[in-house]
mmCIF file of all heavy atoms in Angstrom:
data_model
loop_
_atom_site.group_PDB
_atom_site.id
_atom_site.type_symbol
_atom_site.label_atom_id
_atom_site.label_comp_id
_atom_site.label_asym_id
_atom_site.label_seq_id
_atom_site.Cartn_x
_atom_site.Cartn_y
_atom_site.Cartn_z
ATOM 1 N N ILE A 133 3.342 -17.492 -25.517
ATOM 2 C CA ILE A 133 2.118 -17.038 -24.926
ATOM 3 C C ILE A 133 2.034 -17.283 -23.512
ATOM 4 O O ILE A 133 1.610 -16.555 -22.794
ATOM 5 C CB ILE A 133 0.965 -17.645 -25.735
ATOM 6 C CG1 ILE A 133 0.767 -17.062 -27.115
ATOM 7 C CG2 ILE A 133 -0.372 -17.545 -24.947
ATOM 8 C CD1 ILE A 133 -0.161 -18.032 -27.975
ATOM 9 N N THR A 134 2.535 -18.441 -23.029
ATOM 10 C CA THR A 134 2.552 -18.799 -21.551
ATOM 11 C C THR A 134 3.445 -17.849 -20.856
ATOM 12 O O THR A 134 2.921 -17.307 -19.828
ATOM 13 C CB THR A 134 2.993 -20.271 -21.407
ATOM 14 O OG1 THR A 134 2.217 -21.211 -22.159
ATOM 15 C CG2 THR A 134 3.089 -20.672 -19.910
ATOM 16 N N ILE A 135 4.581 -17.482 -21.411
ATOM 17 C CA ILE A 135 5.571 -16.614 -20.727
ATOM 18 C C ILE A 135 4.825 -15.253 -20.527
ATOM 19 O O ILE A 135 4.973 -14.588 -19.542
ATOM 20 C CB ILE A 135 6.837 -16.516 -21.459
ATOM 21 C CG1 ILE A 135 7.540 -17.916 -21.200
ATOM 22 C CG2 ILE A 135 7.743 -15.432 -20.936
ATOM 23 C CD1 ILE A 135 8.869 -18.031 -22.056
ATOM 24 N N ASN A 136 4.298 -14.763 -21.668
ATOM 25 C CA ASN A 136 3.683 -13.438 -21.691
ATOM 26 C C ASN A 136 2.451 -13.394 -20.634
ATOM 27 O O ASN A 136 2.352 -12.391 -19.926
ATOM 28 C CB ASN A 136 3.142 -13.100 -22.962
ATOM 29 C CG ASN A 136 2.456 -11.765 -23.170
ATOM 30 O OD1 ASN A 136 3.135 -10.817 -22.530
ATOM 31 N ND2 ASN A 136 1.532 -11.568 -23.950
ATOM 32 N N ASN A 137 1.725 -14.452 -20.521
ATOM 33 C CA ASN A 137 0.672 -14.531 -19.596
ATOM 34 C C ASN A 137 1.262 -14.532 -18.176
ATOM 35 O O ASN A 137 0.627 -13.776 -17.241
ATOM 36 C CB ASN A 137 -0.357 -15.680 -19.800
ATOM 37 C CG ASN A 137 -1.061 -15.654 -21.011
ATOM 38 O OD1 ASN A 137 -1.402 -14.586 -21.566
ATOM 39 N ND2 ASN A 137 -1.616 -16.759 -21.469
ATOM 40 N N ARG A 138 2.236 -15.087 -17.814
ATOM 41 C CA ARG A 138 2.857 -15.166 -16.525
ATOM 42 C C ARG A 138 3.382 -13.816 -16.169
ATOM 43 O O ARG A 138 3.227 -13.389 -15.041
ATOM 44 C CB ARG A 138 3.906 -16.215 -16.491
ATOM 45 C CG ARG A 138 3.385 -17.633 -16.427
ATOM 46 C CD ARG A 138 4.495 -18.574 -16.297
ATOM 47 N NE ARG A 138 4.028 -20.028 -16.332
ATOM 48 C CZ ARG A 138 4.704 -21.004 -16.595
ATOM 49 N NH1 ARG A 138 5.982 -20.917 -16.732
ATOM 50 N NH2 ARG A 138 4.210 -22.214 -16.601
ATOM 51 N N ALA A 139 3.995 -13.181 -17.082
ATOM 52 C CA ALA A 139 4.577 -11.855 -16.801
ATOM 53 C C ALA A 139 3.341 -10.845 -16.556
ATOM 54 O O ALA A 139 3.452 -9.963 -15.680
ATOM 55 C CB ALA A 139 5.339 -11.271 -18.087
ATOM 56 N N TYR A 140 2.244 -10.826 -17.335
ATOM 57 C CA TYR A 140 1.076 -10.093 -17.161
ATOM 58 C C TYR A 140 0.613 -10.397 -15.784
ATOM 59 O O TYR A 140 0.236 -9.374 -14.987
ATOM 60 C CB TYR A 140 0.060 -10.353 -18.287
ATOM 61 C CG TYR A 140 -1.237 -9.489 -18.013
ATOM 62 C CD1 TYR A 140 -1.298 -8.158 -18.310
ATOM 63 C CD2 TYR A 140 -2.315 -10.209 -17.412
ATOM 64 C CE1 TYR A 140 -2.462 -7.485 -18.058
ATOM 65 C CE2 TYR A 140 -3.414 -9.417 -17.153
ATOM 66 C CZ TYR A 140 -3.574 -8.093 -17.528
ATOM 67 O OH TYR A 140 -4.674 -7.423 -17.245
ATOM 68 N N GLU A 141 0.380 -11.518 -15.370
ATOM 69 C CA GLU A 141 -0.258 -11.803 -14.051
ATOM 70 C C GLU A 141 0.692 -11.390 -12.925
ATOM 71 O O GLU A 141 0.122 -10.923 -11.907
ATOM 72 C CB GLU A 141 -0.489 -13.370 -14.028
ATOM 73 C CG GLU A 141 -1.543 -13.929 -14.913
ATOM 74 C CD GLU A 141 -1.736 -15.440 -14.954
ATOM 75 O OE1 GLU A 141 -0.815 -16.114 -14.362
ATOM 76 O OE2 GLU A 141 -2.539 -15.767 -15.606
ATOM 77 N N ARG A 142 1.899 -11.552 -13.148
ATOM 78 C CA ARG A 142 2.927 -10.981 -12.164
ATOM 79 C C ARG A 142 2.850 -9.537 -11.953
ATOM 80 O O ARG A 142 2.718 -8.963 -10.845
ATOM 81 C CB ARG A 142 4.297 -11.460 -12.401
ATOM 82 C CG ARG A 142 5.277 -11.221 -11.442
ATOM 83 C CD ARG A 142 6.740 -11.670 -11.675
ATOM 84 N NE ARG A 142 6.809 -12.881 -12.365
ATOM 85 C CZ ARG A 142 7.243 -13.044 -13.566
ATOM 86 N NH1 ARG A 142 7.775 -12.064 -14.186
ATOM 87 N NH2 ARG A 142 7.364 -14.261 -14.166
ATOM 88 N N GLY A 143 2.681 -8.877 -13.050
ATOM 89 C CA GLY A 143 2.722 -7.444 -13.028
ATOM 90 C C GLY A 143 1.291 -6.937 -12.435
ATOM 91 O O GLY A 143 1.355 -5.896 -11.689
ATOM 92 N N TYR A 144 0.214 -7.710 -12.722
ATOM 93 C CA TYR A 144 -1.157 -7.284 -12.260
ATOM 94 C C TYR A 144 -1.032 -7.565 -10.658
ATOM 95 O O TYR A 144 -1.614 -6.660 -9.899
ATOM 96 C CB TYR A 144 -2.142 -8.203 -12.873
ATOM 97 C CG TYR A 144 -3.563 -7.877 -12.420
ATOM 98 C CD1 TYR A 144 -4.133 -6.652 -12.854
ATOM 99 C CD2 TYR A 144 -4.293 -8.689 -11.763
ATOM 100 C CE1 TYR A 144 -5.400 -6.341 -12.331
ATOM 101 C CE2 TYR A 144 -5.600 -8.382 -11.308
ATOM 102 C CZ TYR A 144 -6.142 -7.132 -11.633
ATOM 103 O OH TYR A 144 -7.459 -6.825 -11.261
ATOM 104 N N ALA A 145 -0.532 -8.687 -10.245
ATOM 105 C CA ALA A 145 -0.441 -8.902 -8.909
ATOM 106 C C ALA A 145 0.431 -7.955 -8.044
ATOM 107 O O ALA A 145 -0.120 -7.517 -6.905
ATOM 108 C CB ALA A 145 0.113 -10.279 -8.540
ATOM 109 N N THR A 146 1.490 -7.474 -8.758
ATOM 110 C CA THR A 146 2.341 -6.437 -8.046
ATOM 111 C C THR A 146 1.509 -5.082 -7.960
ATOM 112 O O THR A 146 1.477 -4.454 -7.046
ATOM 113 C CB THR A 146 3.604 -6.161 -8.986
ATOM 114 O OG1 THR A 146 4.183 -7.408 -8.898
ATOM 115 C CG2 THR A 146 4.503 -5.152 -8.334
ATOM 116 N N HIS A 147 0.730 -4.761 -9.070
ATOM 117 C CA HIS A 147 0.006 -3.601 -8.944
ATOM 118 C C HIS A 147 -1.095 -3.628 -7.913
ATOM 119 O O HIS A 147 -1.393 -2.593 -7.206
ATOM 120 C CB HIS A 147 -0.740 -3.399 -10.409
ATOM 121 C CG HIS A 147 -1.714 -2.200 -10.464
ATOM 122 N ND1 HIS A 147 -1.212 -0.995 -10.466
ATOM 123 C CD2 HIS A 147 -2.976 -2.091 -10.569
ATOM 124 C CE1 HIS A 147 -2.241 -0.084 -10.443
ATOM 125 N NE2 HIS A 147 -3.381 -0.850 -10.592
ATOM 126 N N GLN A 148 -1.757 -4.749 -7.713
ATOM 127 C CA GLN A 148 -2.741 -4.810 -6.706
ATOM 128 C C GLN A 148 -2.146 -4.787 -5.346
ATOM 129 O O GLN A 148 -2.719 -4.131 -4.528
ATOM 130 C CB GLN A 148 -3.483 -6.298 -6.827
ATOM 131 C CG GLN A 148 -4.468 -6.457 -8.003
ATOM 132 C CD GLN A 148 -5.189 -7.651 -7.942
ATOM 133 O OE1 GLN A 148 -4.585 -8.659 -7.682
ATOM 134 N NE2 GLN A 148 -6.423 -7.627 -8.177
ATOM 135 N N ALA A 149 -0.988 -5.263 -5.201
ATOM 136 C CA ALA A 149 -0.385 -5.275 -3.870
ATOM 137 C C ALA A 149 0.146 -3.802 -3.592
ATOM 138 O O ALA A 149 -0.147 -3.369 -2.342
ATOM 139 C CB ALA A 149 0.973 -6.112 -3.881
ATOM 140 N N GLU A 150 0.551 -3.076 -4.506
ATOM 141 C CA GLU A 150 0.820 -1.722 -4.379
ATOM 142 C C GLU A 150 -0.312 -0.848 -3.975
ATOM 143 O O GLU A 150 -0.309 0.093 -3.101
ATOM 144 C CB GLU A 150 1.604 -1.029 -5.628
ATOM 145 C CG GLU A 150 2.985 -1.576 -5.832
ATOM 146 C CD GLU A 150 3.516 -1.169 -7.160
ATOM 147 O OE1 GLU A 150 2.838 -0.587 -7.950
ATOM 148 O OE2 GLU A 150 4.706 -1.476 -7.404
ATOM 149 N N GLN A 151 -1.447 -1.033 -4.711
ATOM 150 C CA GLN A 151 -2.674 -0.320 -4.488
ATOM 151 C C GLN A 151 -3.200 -0.690 -3.093
ATOM 152 O O GLN A 151 -3.754 0.145 -2.384
ATOM 153 C CB GLN A 151 -3.721 -0.722 -5.521
ATOM 154 C CG GLN A 151 -3.424 -0.229 -6.844
ATOM 155 C CD GLN A 151 -3.356 1.334 -6.915
ATOM 156 O OE1 GLN A 151 -4.117 2.016 -6.373
ATOM 157 N NE2 GLN A 151 -2.394 1.814 -7.566
ATOM 158 N N ALA A 152 -3.060 -1.827 -2.594
ATOM 159 C CA ALA A 152 -3.420 -2.347 -1.181
ATOM 160 C C ALA A 152 -2.664 -1.498 -0.284
ATOM 161 O O ALA A 152 -3.135 -1.017 0.841
ATOM 162 C CB ALA A 152 -3.400 -3.778 -1.055
ATOM 163 N N VAL A 153 -1.365 -1.425 -0.374
ATOM 164 C CA VAL A 153 -0.518 -0.641 0.482
ATOM 165 C C VAL A 153 -0.931 0.845 0.535
ATOM 166 O O VAL A 153 -0.959 1.345 1.545
ATOM 167 C CB VAL A 153 0.947 -0.730 0.087
ATOM 168 C CG1 VAL A 153 1.801 0.230 0.933
ATOM 169 C CG2 VAL A 153 1.415 -2.180 0.330
ATOM 170 N N ILE A 154 -1.125 1.393 -0.566
ATOM 171 C CA ILE A 154 -1.494 2.807 -0.614
ATOM 172 C C ILE A 154 -2.890 3.042 -0.029
ATOM 173 O O ILE A 154 -3.118 4.023 0.855
ATOM 174 C CB ILE A 154 -1.673 3.328 -2.189
ATOM 175 C CG1 ILE A 154 -0.270 3.339 -2.682
ATOM 176 C CG2 ILE A 154 -2.265 4.653 -2.159
ATOM 177 C CD1 ILE A 154 -0.126 3.580 -4.248
ATOM 178 N N SER A 155 -3.804 2.182 -0.318
ATOM 179 C CA SER A 155 -5.229 2.206 0.396
ATOM 180 C C SER A 155 -5.045 2.140 1.892
ATOM 181 O O SER A 155 -5.587 2.859 2.691
ATOM 182 C CB SER A 155 -6.069 1.062 -0.145
ATOM 183 O OG SER A 155 -7.330 1.270 0.420
ATOM 184 N N GLN A 156 -4.215 1.225 2.352
ATOM 185 C CA GLN A 156 -4.011 1.053 3.739
ATOM 186 C C GLN A 156 -3.365 2.274 4.406
ATOM 187 O O GLN A 156 -3.753 2.703 5.540
ATOM 188 C CB GLN A 156 -3.172 -0.216 4.031
ATOM 189 C CG GLN A 156 -3.172 -0.629 5.550
ATOM 190 C CD GLN A 156 -4.557 -0.879 6.038
ATOM 191 O OE1 GLN A 156 -5.365 -1.646 5.434
ATOM 192 N NE2 GLN A 156 -4.861 -0.523 7.297
ATOM 193 N N GLU A 157 -2.409 2.775 3.833
ATOM 194 C CA GLU A 157 -1.717 4.027 4.301
ATOM 195 C C GLU A 157 -2.778 5.177 4.391
ATOM 196 O O GLU A 157 -2.823 5.938 5.323
ATOM 197 C CB GLU A 157 -0.584 4.551 3.411
ATOM 198 C CG GLU A 157 0.572 3.506 3.475
ATOM 199 C CD GLU A 157 1.657 3.891 2.531
ATOM 200 O OE1 GLU A 157 1.427 4.701 1.501
ATOM 201 O OE2 GLU A 157 2.801 3.233 2.496
ATOM 202 N N LYS A 158 -3.636 5.330 3.328
ATOM 203 C CA LYS A 158 -4.641 6.446 3.460
ATOM 204 C C LYS A 158 -5.590 6.133 4.575
ATOM 205 O O LYS A 158 -6.012 7.110 5.245
ATOM 206 C CB LYS A 158 -5.360 6.455 2.035
ATOM 207 C CG LYS A 158 -4.474 7.209 1.077
ATOM 208 C CD LYS A 158 -5.213 7.276 -0.292
ATOM 209 C CE LYS A 158 -4.342 7.880 -1.341
ATOM 210 N NZ LYS A 158 -5.128 8.003 -2.560
ATOM 211 N N THR A 159 -6.022 4.793 4.714
ATOM 212 C CA THR A 159 -6.966 4.563 5.771
ATOM 213 C C THR A 159 -6.334 4.839 7.239
ATOM 214 O O THR A 159 -7.001 5.389 8.055
ATOM 215 C CB THR A 159 -7.413 3.132 5.734
ATOM 216 O OG1 THR A 159 -8.082 2.938 4.524
ATOM 217 C CG2 THR A 159 -8.373 2.637 6.800
ATOM 218 N N ASN A 160 -5.102 4.479 7.341
ATOM 219 C CA ASN A 160 -4.424 4.717 8.514
ATOM 220 C C ASN A 160 -4.220 6.227 8.830
ATOM 221 O O ASN A 160 -4.517 6.678 10.058
ATOM 222 C CB ASN A 160 -3.032 4.042 8.632
ATOM 223 C CG ASN A 160 -3.144 2.578 8.735
ATOM 224 O OD1 ASN A 160 -4.073 1.975 8.920
ATOM 225 N ND2 ASN A 160 -1.953 1.969 8.290
ATOM 226 N N ALA A 161 -3.940 7.090 7.884
ATOM 227 C CA ALA A 161 -3.911 8.410 8.017
ATOM 228 C C ALA A 161 -5.235 9.058 8.548
ATOM 229 O O ALA A 161 -5.279 9.938 9.409
ATOM 230 C CB ALA A 161 -3.347 9.132 6.807
ATOM 231 N N ALA A 162 -6.306 8.619 7.804
ATOM 232 C CA ALA A 162 -7.587 9.227 8.215
ATOM 233 C C ALA A 162 -8.069 8.613 9.480
ATOM 234 O O ALA A 162 -8.588 9.481 10.292
ATOM 235 C CB ALA A 162 -8.689 8.547 7.069
ATOM 236 N N ASN A 163 -7.679 7.563 9.886
ATOM 237 C CA ASN A 163 -8.036 6.940 11.316
ATOM 238 C C ASN A 163 -7.319 7.791 12.275
ATOM 239 O O ASN A 163 -7.767 8.153 13.438
ATOM 240 C CB ASN A 163 -7.702 5.545 11.441
ATOM 241 C CG ASN A 163 -8.763 4.724 10.786
ATOM 242 O OD1 ASN A 163 -9.975 5.087 10.520
ATOM 243 N ND2 ASN A 163 -8.393 3.414 10.578
ATOM 244 N N ARG A 164 -5.961 8.154 12.118
ATOM 245 C CA ARG A 164 -5.161 8.964 13.003
ATOM 246 C C ARG A 164 -5.794 10.380 13.090
ATOM 247 O O ARG A 164 -5.809 10.921 14.250
ATOM 248 C CB ARG A 164 -3.731 9.055 12.590
ATOM 249 C CG ARG A 164 -2.930 7.693 12.772
ATOM 250 C CD ARG A 164 -1.481 8.022 12.677
ATOM 251 N NE ARG A 164 -1.096 8.421 11.338
ATOM 252 C CZ ARG A 164 -0.797 7.712 10.281
ATOM 253 N NH1 ARG A 164 -0.890 6.436 10.400
ATOM 254 N NH2 ARG A 164 -0.521 8.260 9.000
ATOM 255 N N ALA A 165 -6.229 10.873 11.979
ATOM 256 C CA ALA A 165 -6.774 12.271 12.056
ATOM 257 C C ALA A 165 -8.062 12.291 12.744
ATOM 258 O O ALA A 165 -8.432 13.210 13.606
ATOM 259 C CB ALA A 165 -7.098 12.824 10.647
ATOM 260 N N ASP A 166 -8.817 11.243 12.632
ATOM 261 C CA ASP A 166 -10.232 11.154 13.305
ATOM 262 C C ASP A 166 -9.845 10.927 14.757
ATOM 263 O O ASP A 166 -10.754 11.587 15.626
ATOM 264 C CB ASP A 166 -11.007 9.928 12.754
ATOM 265 C CG ASP A 166 -12.400 9.841 13.263
ATOM 266 O OD1 ASP A 166 -13.046 10.945 13.283
ATOM 267 O OD2 ASP A 166 -12.818 8.827 13.665
ATOM 268 N N ASP A 167 -8.965 10.143 15.159
ATOM 269 C CA ASP A 167 -8.697 9.856 16.656
ATOM 270 C C ASP A 167 -8.098 11.207 17.297
ATOM 271 O O ASP A 167 -8.518 11.506 18.407
ATOM 272 C CB ASP A 167 -7.611 8.950 16.843
ATOM 273 C CG ASP A 167 -8.112 7.400 16.396
ATOM 274 O OD1 ASP A 167 -9.421 7.360 16.282
ATOM 275 O OD2 ASP A 167 -7.283 6.517 16.161
ATOM 276 N N ALA A 168 -7.263 11.955 16.429
ATOM 277 C CA ALA A 168 -6.784 13.326 17.062
ATOM 278 C C ALA A 168 -7.967 14.339 17.190
ATOM 279 O O ALA A 168 -7.945 14.902 18.127
ATOM 280 C CB ALA A 168 -5.702 13.706 16.047
ATOM 281 N N ALA A 169 -8.866 14.337 16.178
ATOM 282 C CA ALA A 169 -9.895 15.284 16.362
ATOM 283 C C ALA A 169 -10.781 14.919 17.550
ATOM 284 O O ALA A 169 -11.308 15.763 18.327
ATOM 285 C CB ALA A 169 -10.839 15.266 15.007
ATOM 286 N N ALA A 170 -11.120 13.674 17.659
ATOM 287 C CA ALA A 170 -11.908 13.005 18.855
ATOM 288 C C ALA A 170 -11.336 13.467 20.175
ATOM 289 O O ALA A 170 -11.896 13.944 21.148
ATOM 290 C CB ALA A 170 -12.162 11.593 18.681
ATOM 291 N N ARG A 171 -9.935 13.201 20.360
ATOM 292 C CA ARG A 171 -9.260 13.544 21.504
ATOM 293 C C ARG A 171 -9.166 15.122 21.853
ATOM 294 O O ARG A 171 -9.379 15.534 22.908
ATOM 295 C CB ARG A 171 -7.741 13.085 21.484
ATOM 296 C CG ARG A 171 -7.585 11.667 21.668
ATOM 297 C CD ARG A 171 -6.082 11.195 21.980
ATOM 298 N NE ARG A 171 -5.231 11.693 20.874
ATOM 299 C CZ ARG A 171 -5.071 11.077 19.818
ATOM 300 N NH1 ARG A 171 -5.604 9.835 19.581
ATOM 301 N NH2 ARG A 171 -4.165 11.472 18.818
ATOM 302 N N CYS A 172 -8.985 15.936 20.774
ATOM 303 C CA CYS A 172 -9.074 17.269 20.922
ATOM 304 C C CYS A 172 -10.401 17.843 21.302
ATOM 305 O O CYS A 172 -10.596 18.801 22.164
ATOM 306 C CB CYS A 172 -8.569 17.970 19.635
ATOM 307 S SG CYS A 172 -8.329 19.793 19.774
ATOM 308 N N ALA A 173 -11.583 17.227 20.911
ATOM 309 C CA ALA A 173 -12.773 17.704 21.164
ATOM 310 C C ALA A 173 -13.131 17.409 22.703
ATOM 311 O O ALA A 173 -13.893 18.070 23.270
ATOM 312 C CB ALA A 173 -13.836 16.811 20.392
ATOM 313 N N LEU A 174 -12.460 16.471 23.169
ATOM 314 C CA LEU A 174 -12.596 16.107 24.662
ATOM 315 C C LEU A 174 -11.840 16.902 25.620
ATOM 316 O O LEU A 174 -12.103 16.872 26.720
ATOM 317 C CB LEU A 174 -12.415 14.503 24.877
ATOM 318 C CG LEU A 174 -13.444 13.701 24.127
ATOM 319 C CD1 LEU A 174 -13.065 12.099 24.406
ATOM 320 C CD2 LEU A 174 -14.908 13.783 24.698
ATOM 321 N N ASP A 175 -10.840 17.488 25.050
ATOM 322 C CA ASP A 175 -9.827 18.189 25.868
ATOM 323 C C ASP A 175 -10.058 19.720 25.692
ATOM 324 O O ASP A 175 -9.918 20.252 24.740
ATOM 325 C CB ASP A 175 -8.408 17.826 25.450
ATOM 326 C CG ASP A 175 -7.299 18.592 26.277
ATOM 327 O OD1 ASP A 175 -7.635 19.080 27.404
ATOM 328 O OD2 ASP A 175 -6.079 18.504 25.844
ATOM 329 N N PRO A 176 -10.394 20.338 26.957
ATOM 330 C CA PRO A 176 -10.745 21.792 26.735
ATOM 331 C C PRO A 176 -9.600 22.627 26.322
ATOM 332 O O PRO A 176 -9.699 23.594 25.616
ATOM 333 C CB PRO A 176 -11.237 22.244 28.233
ATOM 334 C CG PRO A 176 -11.508 20.993 28.900
ATOM 335 C CD PRO A 176 -10.798 19.786 28.182
ATOM 336 N N ASP A 177 -8.355 22.319 26.789
ATOM 337 C CA ASP A 177 -7.142 23.080 26.386
ATOM 338 C C ASP A 177 -6.907 22.983 24.891
ATOM 339 O O ASP A 177 -6.540 24.034 24.280
ATOM 340 C CB ASP A 177 -5.959 22.612 27.204
ATOM 341 C CG ASP A 177 -5.924 22.877 28.536
ATOM 342 O OD1 ASP A 177 -6.593 23.773 29.108
ATOM 343 O OD2 ASP A 177 -5.288 22.175 29.368
ATOM 344 N N CYS A 178 -7.122 21.788 24.476
ATOM 345 C CA CYS A 178 -6.915 21.742 22.936
ATOM 346 C C CYS A 178 -8.035 22.404 22.137
ATOM 347 O O CYS A 178 -7.893 22.882 21.137
ATOM 348 C CB CYS A 178 -6.846 20.214 22.533
ATOM 349 S SG CYS A 178 -6.663 19.795 20.867
ATOM 350 N N ARG A 179 -9.272 22.128 22.671
ATOM 351 C CA ARG A 179 -10.470 22.680 21.991
ATOM 352 C C ARG A 179 -10.413 24.142 21.868
ATOM 353 O O ARG A 179 -10.787 24.719 20.873
ATOM 354 C CB ARG A 179 -11.678 22.182 22.708
ATOM 355 C CG ARG A 179 -12.997 22.290 21.880
ATOM 356 C CD ARG A 179 -14.174 21.727 22.593
ATOM 357 N NE ARG A 179 -14.429 22.329 23.948
ATOM 358 C CZ ARG A 179 -14.558 21.624 25.003
ATOM 359 N NH1 ARG A 179 -14.257 20.363 25.064
ATOM 360 N NH2 ARG A 179 -14.596 22.268 26.176
ATOM 361 N N LEU A 180 -9.977 24.833 22.850
ATOM 362 C CA LEU A 180 -9.903 26.372 22.964
ATOM 363 C C LEU A 180 -8.744 26.856 22.331
ATOM 364 O O LEU A 180 -8.549 28.160 22.376
ATOM 365 C CB LEU A 180 -10.165 26.702 24.429
ATOM 366 C CG LEU A 180 -11.619 26.410 24.871
ATOM 367 C CD1 LEU A 180 -11.681 26.625 26.330
ATOM 368 C CD2 LEU A 180 -12.741 26.879 24.145
#
């Protein structure tokens, strides 16, 4: 039972870490897109 619990906790921690990485990648991509849209809105050559 102890070995099974440790394996479950290790798997759960790994899953949480993977989800945190995916979430951070999505946040970074959204921030880059937002920054690019803001820069384009201020630049007339890009905007037109």
Side-chain angles (χ1 to χ4, degrees):
I133 290 171
T134 301
I135 290 169
N136 188 34
N137 286 345
R138 287 183 184 163
Y140 175 79
E141 289 170 0
R142 187 179 319 119
Y144 185 69
T146 302
H147 175 71
Q148 283 184 322
E150 290 171 352
Q151 291 298 315
V153 168
I154 291 169
S155 177
Q156 189 62 42
E157 289 172 353
K158 288 182 178 181
T159 300
N160 291 343
N163 286 340
R164 283 193 303 272
D166 188 45
D167 292 342
R171 280 194 306 275
C172 189
L174 295 176
D175 183 13
D177 291 334
C178 178
R179 192 176 60 236
L180 298 176

